[in-house]
Amino acid sequence: MRYLITLGLALITFASQAIWVTFSPVVTYVAKELGVSNEYVGYLAVLYPLLFLVLTVPSGILLDKNFKLWLTFGAIITSLGGFGRLIMPYNYYWLFICQLFAAIGQPFLLNAFVPFASKYYPQRRALVISILSLSMYLGIIFALATGYNLYTSGGITTLILPTATVSLVGLIIFILGAVRTTEIRNETRQNLIITYVISRRDIWLLGGILGLGIAVFDNLATWLQPALETVGLGKIAGEAVASAIIAGLVGILFIPSMISKRNIRTMYIRLIIPLIIIFFIIISTFQEKIVIYTLLTVSGLLMIPAYPVIMDWIAKFYKKEHQGSATGFVGLISRAISVMLMFIAPRFIYDVRLYFLFLTSSIFVAFVLSLLLPNDRKLSQSG
């Protein structure tokens, strides 16, 4: 029943990411209804990256120790957070508790992508990782794209109802699949696994590259609007970022599988980063609508598929008992970098040229790190 558990995991992952940014499109409206400040509503979204940073390594270790148990834990607590919001949708503190539940569950879901694909679909590993990554991004897109219309049509209850429904349906399907599969527990000593993982140079490099890439898109989603507002283009920021993410979803459908089959992960990473650098330098020079839309869209098409490509690297070159910890450690490094750059970026948003040059400098560092990556084709031949 691996197809049931896969469908359930995809639906819960979709719900998890939708829960994260449910209120982002309507922060000011929800704040008034709940009787709290805008910042308090914003804190609901902040819980996600904060708890991911704290829990990514522990969740990876636990997944390596007993994968099925802790993946089920992540699925249940996420679904409780999503469906539970319907109980008291107009109580801020209750919504905060539900958001806390979902935020705790997120690292157990995202860090499970690689070991899940390796355990259940060893011959179609890259495809399954891509499908789960797609469900992750679709959840974000759904919440951002439909939030305003859902809220204006029926308030907070209507806003959270679709995600609550997906949470519950996903959990039921997941449990039906999980009870019909067996899991072989890993008895390898966890301290040996951690020592092995952190001794690998590639894991540090992958974490750095991923973190710098995530930082760029997090910055665009958060700070692009005020930066473009300095040249009178603030209104296009949301649509431009959405266009980039949608293009990335299209890329996820075929790029990771193609890269994996040809063992050209290193080549792909090294080739796309210089292109993104060129695109961002052009944007910093020419702030025209068509230029921003086009180059951000192409950047999304190329950059977002790099996430499942990096996850597939771990699945390819790490043993199954190491994959949860390796994914968690990459998550720790990447989130630490992205959070740091998120706090630095506001210094540059008052000049759109400087803002894009700041992002370009981050991408350039990623390119330097990519030059230090081992050639995955040679690793495959030697392995």
Side-chain angles (χ1 to χ4, degrees):
M1 286 293 155
R2 60 178 182 170
Y3 298 110
L4 279 179
I5 197 172
T6 305
L7 176 59
L9 177 57
L11 289 173
I12 294 169
T13 299
F14 175 96
S16 169
Q17 300 307 286
I19 293 167
W20 175 22
V21 291
T22 295
F23 302 112
S24 294
V26 287
V27 169
T28 55
Y29 304 103
V30 171
K32 288 180 181 179
E33 279 209 75
L34 297 178
V36 299
S37 67
N38 294 339
E39 290 80 2
Y40 272 62
V41 176
Y43 292 155
L44 295 175
V46 171
L47 278 174
Y48 259 65
L50 180 62
L51 285 176
F52 193 94
L53 184 63
V54 173
L55 294 176
T56 180
V57 170
S59 66
I61 293 172
L62 291 171
L63 286 166
D64 280 339
K65 188 173 183 179
N66 192 326
F67 180 76
K68 186 176 178 182
L69 172 65
W70 290 104
L71 177 58
T72 303
F73 167 80
I76 291 173
I77 198 169
T78 299
S79 297
L80 287 176
F83 189 76
R85 295 193 295 186
L86 285 176
I87 298 174
M88 289 188 285
Y90 291 90
N91 184 307
Y92 174 80
Y93 298 102
W94 177 252
L95 292 177
F96 187 92
I97 291 172
C98 290
Q99 192 83 358
L100 184 66
F101 273 33
I104 291 172
Q106 183 193 212
F108 290 93
L109 299 178
L110 302 192
N111 287 339
F113 286 5
V114 173
F116 180 86
S118 296
K119 289 173 184 291
Y120 294 108
Y121 299 90
Q123 303 303 318
R124 289 184 288 174
R125 184 187 63 245
L127 175 62
V128 173
I129 292 174
S130 295
I131 290 172
L132 295 175
S133 300
L134 182 65
S135 69
M136 176 178 71
Y137 287 114
L138 282 174
I140 298 172
I141 287 289
F142 171 80
L144 295 178
T146 66
Y148 180 79
N149 291 331
L150 287 171
Y151 179 82
T152 54
S153 67
I156 294 178
T157 301
T158 301
L159 177 65
I160 64 178
L161 181 60
T163 303
T165 303
V166 175
S167 298
L168 181 60
V169 172
L171 181 61
I172 292 172
I173 294 174
F174 179 90
I175 298 246
L176 287 175
V179 296
R180 299 188 182 188
T181 60
T182 57
E183 169 69 14
I184 300 174
R185 294 189 57 178
N186 173 38
E187 300 298 336
T188 306
R189 292 176 58 186
Q190 293 302 309
N191 60 334
L192 295 179
I193 290 178
I194 297 172
T195 301
Y196 170 76
V197 167
I198 65 176
S199 68
R200 291 277 299 258
R201 188 183 69 160
D202 62 337
I203 211 71
W204 292 87
L205 294 171
L206 292 172
I209 294 168
L210 181 61
L212 291 163
I214 289 174
V216 168
F217 268 95
D218 283 352
N219 267 290
L220 289 173
T222 306
W223 303 119
L224 181 61
Q225 192 275 331
L228 288 180
E229 190 64 29
T230 62
V231 291
L233 295 174
K235 292 182 179 180
I236 73 169
E239 293 179 355
V241 174
S243 177
I245 296 176
I246 291 170
L249 298 184
V250 173
I252 284 176
L253 294 176
F254 67 93
I255 291 177
S257 295
M258 179 179 67
I259 298 301
S260 178
K261 289 178 181 177
R262 291 167 174 78
N263 283 319
I264 53 173
R265 302 170 189 84
T266 304
M267 182 186 300
Y268 178 76
I269 292 171
R270 288 176 181 170
L271 286 177
I272 66 168
I273 297 178
L275 290 175
I276 307 302
I277 290 174
I278 294 171
F279 295 161
F280 276 42
I281 290 175
I282 293 173
I283 295 175
S284 71
T285 307
F286 304 101
Q287 290 92 47
E288 302 291 337
K289 288 184 180 180
I290 186 65
V291 173
I292 294 170
Y293 271 113
T294 301
L295 296 185
L296 286 186
T297 299
V298 177
S299 297
L301 175 68
L302 298 175
M303 287 183 67
I304 289 178
Y307 177 84
V309 167
I310 289 175
M311 294 299 102
D312 184 59
W313 180 297
I314 295 173
K316 173 71 174 179
F317 299 113
Y318 284 76
K319 295 179 180 179
K320 291 180 181 180
E321 60 266 26
H322 298 155
Q323 289 171 356
S325 295
T327 306
F329 196 68
V330 165
L332 174 65
I333 299 169
S334 64
R335 295 293 173 170
I337 292 173
S338 63
V339 169
M340 177 184 66
L341 294 181
M342 281 283 289
F343 282 106
I344 296 175
R347 298 174 180 269
F348 303 96
I349 61 175
Y350 301 102
D351 185 325
V352 68
R353 178 176 173 274
L354 289 178
Y355 175 70
F356 273 98
L357 289 177
F358 164 70
L359 296 181
T360 302
S361 66
S362 301
I363 302 168
F364 179 78
V365 175
F367 177 64
V368 173
L369 295 179
S370 74
L371 296 178
L372 301 175
L373 271 178
N375 188 309
D376 61 306
R377 176 169 289 184
K378 292 182 179 179
L379 287 177
S380 297
Q381 292 172 349
S382 64

